[in-house]
Amino acid sequence: MAPDTHQAIDAVWRIEQAKVIAGLARIVRDVGIAEELAQDALVAALKVWPAQGIPDNPGAWLMATAKNRALDTRRRAKLIERKHVELGHEMDAEHTPDLDAALDDDIGDDLLRLIFTACHPVLSAEARVALTLRLIGGLTTEEIARAFLVAEPTIAQRIVRAKRTLTEARVPFEVPRGADRAERLASVLEVIYLIFNEGYAATSGEDWVRPALCEEALRLGRILAGLAPEEGEVHGLVALMEIQASRLKARIGPKGEPILLLDQNRARWDQLLIRRGLSALARAEALGRPGPYALQAAIAACHARARVAEDTDWRRIVALYEQLANITPSPVVELNLAVAVAMAYGPQAGLDRVDALAAEPTLKNYHLLPSVRGDFLEKVGRFAEARAEFERAAGMTQNARERALLLERAAGALS
């Protein structure tokens, strides 16, 4: 298979996978079986599409192929025994759902049902996040492991166990209602933001950003805002994603190279998304004391309101990060706080804070720690140390674009 064809199929799969799994899950009522059927359809596409070309509606093709696999599997004794009632009533020809409806249904809807099912409280918090990232975000086990700073085999085991648990518990494929939905929102919000982050700053591969993942996360966030309009943190998350997404076009140069926040051409920021984000932030703040997502959105708003980088209110950002550290303490928040402190009070102040994090176990393989430290060292004139830190960070990142940027910074820290 030609590399270009394989890349095209991979891109289609990234876009269509969640929709196909969600549509199948509604039919077979089992997310594990739905994913297996979707994977079977992908294998078929890899055999057929290189010769026949990618169809006009690849999602419908994948869905039709997967549905046929399900009908074939239904005839096997084992599946008849496990799923006889559901498949017998729902997958007979006269009751087969319309394929276009299965894929294009208003997302009130299959994708939303899928994410709530994956976030069901029968699963541990870690399993909910890992499974949803796998099924909806389309992330590999390796990518999920890096996002959580957890060993890859651990994530793989969580996903397998989670799917088995959902099947054994006969978890309904539905959007929860009432108090049950409210209890599950926090987990769902966390998952959506992790999906967004994988699009905003890809952990691996050749691309610095994956806009499709950001768009999917935004879509799910907006839907949740409609479902839970009195939940301030839902609006806070939407605000945060809208404002961050406004910078996507400015985050990469003509050749796909990364452009950091302070170097971006702010004229390229999407003002519509900024206005949407600020409006969502206002709704969040009107609903009570801001939570973690609303606070992060307020930080993003400080950048969005500054017409030039020099106008950024860094002291305000420091205060917001301090609030965030109080309610959700973590080494990553402390690292971000150190950056803000450096911008507000000088690089040595930031360096002192970063040095205090050097022994933090969860940051041992976190490439942004040496990257940030290298930046501070360069600014205080310790060029040899800065170069070493940039090189160390470059060796830790799995993203090719980011690695090139860090090596470029290392080469520049010579005088």
Side-chain angles (χ1 to χ4, degrees):
M1 184 189 307
D4 288 349
T5 302
H6 192 284
Q7 290 175 4
I9 293 174
D10 183 63
V12 168
W13 179 245
R14 282 276 187 176
I15 293 169
E16 301 292 347
Q17 170 187 280
K19 298 175 186 176
V20 173
I21 292 174
L24 289 167
R26 174 154 56 86
I27 296 170
V28 301
R29 302 290 172 178
D30 186 307
V31 294
I33 293 175
E35 186 185 18
E36 291 172 8
L37 293 169
Q39 290 289 340
D40 286 346
L42 173 61
V43 171
L46 290 169
K47 293 179 180 177
V48 174
W49 292 0
Q52 299 183 2
I54 296 176
D56 292 338
N57 191 338
W61 191 99
L62 290 166
M63 184 67 178
T65 301
K67 187 188 75 105
N68 288 334
R69 291 283 193 282
L71 289 168
D72 291 341
T73 304
R74 176 195 171 198
R75 298 182 181 96
R76 299 173 190 166
K78 184 175 181 180
L79 187 56
I80 291 177
E81 180 181 347
R82 289 175 56 195
K83 305 296 294 182
H84 177 74
V85 175
E86 293 93 334
L87 293 175
H89 288 295
E90 294 184 30
M91 298 190 66
D92 284 336
E94 65 269 23
H95 291 102
T96 299
D98 178 76
L99 293 181
D100 290 335
L103 291 165
D104 300 326
D105 212 9
D106 178 67
I107 212 160
D109 114 335
D110 291 344
L111 277 174
L112 192 58
R113 293 185 188 104
L114 183 60
I115 195 169
F116 270 112
T117 301
C119 290
H120 196 279
V122 71
L123 304 175
S124 69
E126 294 85 357
R128 298 174 209 172
V129 173
L131 182 61
T132 307
L133 282 171
R134 181 76 184 95
L135 296 180
I136 300 179
L139 306 189
T140 65
T141 303
E142 182 183 2
E143 288 169 339
I144 299 169
R146 276 198 298 275
F148 282 101
L149 306 177
V150 172
E152 186 176 346
T154 301
I155 294 295
Q157 291 169 9
R158 286 178 189 172
I159 292 171
V160 170
R161 286 197 298 263
K163 290 188 288 189
R164 184 168 61 241
T165 299
L166 289 175
T167 299
E168 293 173 351
R170 298 182 177 273
V171 169
F173 189 66
E174 63 184 15
V175 176
R177 304 295 177 187
D180 185 36
R181 183 183 69 191
E183 292 174 0
R184 289 161 62 181
L185 269 178
S187 176
V188 171
L189 294 177
E190 181 180 11
V191 168
I192 291 175
Y193 191 44
L194 283 165
I195 294 171
F196 180 88
N197 272 338
E198 183 60 31
Y200 189 71
T203 57
S204 65
E206 297 295 323
D207 296 321
W208 175 239
V209 298
R210 295 176 185 170
L213 282 176
C214 293
E215 292 166 5
E216 190 62 41
L218 264 172
R219 187 163 69 103
L220 290 170
R222 291 165 182 163
I223 292 164
L224 280 176
L227 286 172
E230 301 305 316
E231 292 287 342
E233 275 291 81
V234 175
H235 296 293
L237 175 59
V238 171
L240 175 58
M241 295 191 297
E242 300 274 17
I243 295 172
Q244 288 184 320
S246 74
R247 308 174 196 148
L248 280 172
K249 292 181 180 178
R251 280 174 58 78
I252 55 174
K255 298 179 180 180
E257 69 275 16
I259 301 178
L260 301 180
L261 177 62
L262 299 182
D263 299 323
Q264 290 172 14
N265 177 1
R266 299 188 177 211
R268 299 194 67 200
W269 288 3
D270 189 321
Q271 294 302 312
L272 174 60
L273 289 178
I274 289 174
R275 288 195 295 273
R276 284 180 172 176
L278 295 177
S279 177
L281 177 58
R283 287 193 291 274
E285 292 174 339
L287 287 169
R289 185 175 181 178
Y293 293 110
L295 286 171
Q296 291 176 78
I299 291 167
C302 290
H303 295 296
R305 292 183 175 117
R307 292 187 174 275
V308 294
E310 292 75 16
D311 292 342
T312 306
D313 188 349
W314 285 106
R315 295 194 177 196
R316 166 75 173 153
I317 292 175
V318 168
L320 289 167
Y321 268 123
E322 288 175 340
Q323 290 182 55
L324 184 60
N326 284 333
I327 61 174
T328 55
S330 81
V332 173
V333 172
E334 291 294 336
L335 182 60
N336 289 328
L337 174 57
V339 173
V341 167
M343 296 302 298
Y345 303 107
Q348 186 59 52
L351 183 59
D352 292 341
R353 284 179 171 267
V354 167
D355 285 345
L357 295 171
E360 174 56 50
T362 59
L363 297 181
K364 180 180 179 181
N365 298 313
Y366 191 53
H367 71 282
L368 292 181
L369 178 61
S371 174
V372 168
R373 189 167 187 271
D375 182 65
F376 295 164
L377 287 167
E378 184 177 32
K379 288 175 178 176
V380 299
R382 294 162 60 179
F383 300 114
E385 293 173 84
R387 182 170 63 254
E389 289 293 81
F390 287 135
E391 290 173 348
R392 187 160 74 96
M396 294 165 69
T397 182
Q398 300 299 308
N399 185 280
R401 297 290 187 178
E402 192 170 26
R403 185 182 307 113
L405 173 65
L406 289 165
L407 291 175
E408 182 181 334
R409 294 208 65 185
L414 297 175
S415 57

